[in-house]
Amino acid sequence: MKTSKASSFFDRSIKPENEFYIDNNLFIVERIYHSLDDLGWSKRDLARKVGVPEEEINGWLSGMHNLSLKQISKMEAVMDRRVLMVE
């Protein structure tokens, strides 16, 4: 019996590097949201301070965007908080 493309797609296991990427990305976004809560800021406030449209911040914090170190650093700088800890 032939399997459909959809079922074979869902039967695949996630590659370890993709699992790490997803976990890391969600961790970073969660840290940013916690910082925004602590500061009493909205995403609109963050966008204004970073100098990008709110829609761009929405994309960055969607959990699906591949955040660059430059984008993370911009957010850290305006929030005056570390999101990434590098040893």
Side-chain angles (χ1 to χ4, degrees), residues 9-15:
F9 173 80
F10 289 112
D11 288 339
R12 292 183 202 158
S13 63
I14 297 174
K15 293 180 181 178

Side-chain angles (χ1 to χ4, degrees), residues 44-59:
R44 177 177 288 160
D45 296 325
L46 180 61
R48 196 173 322 122
K49 293 173 188 298
V50 172
V52 299
E54 186 177 357
E55 295 78 24
E56 191 164 342
I57 291 294
N58 288 334

Side-chain angles (χ1 to χ4, degrees), residues 2 7 10 18 22-23 28 46 56 59-60 65 67 73 78:
K2 189 175 178 182
S7 67
F10 289 112
N18 291 338
I22 291 166
D23 287 346
I28 291 166
L46 180 61
E56 191 164 342
W60 290 3
H65 182 79
L67 289 164
S73 298
V78 300

Side-chain angles (χ1 to χ4, degrees), residues 58-82:
N58 288 334
W60 290 3
L61 301 182
S62 69
M64 300 302 293
H65 182 79
N66 187 9
L67 289 164
S68 71
L69 285 174
K70 186 148 192 131
Q71 292 164 332
I72 295 167
S73 298
K74 283 181 180 182
M75 290 185 280
E76 286 179 324
V78 300
M79 294 187 298
D80 193 26
R81 294 175 182 227
R82 290 281 182 195

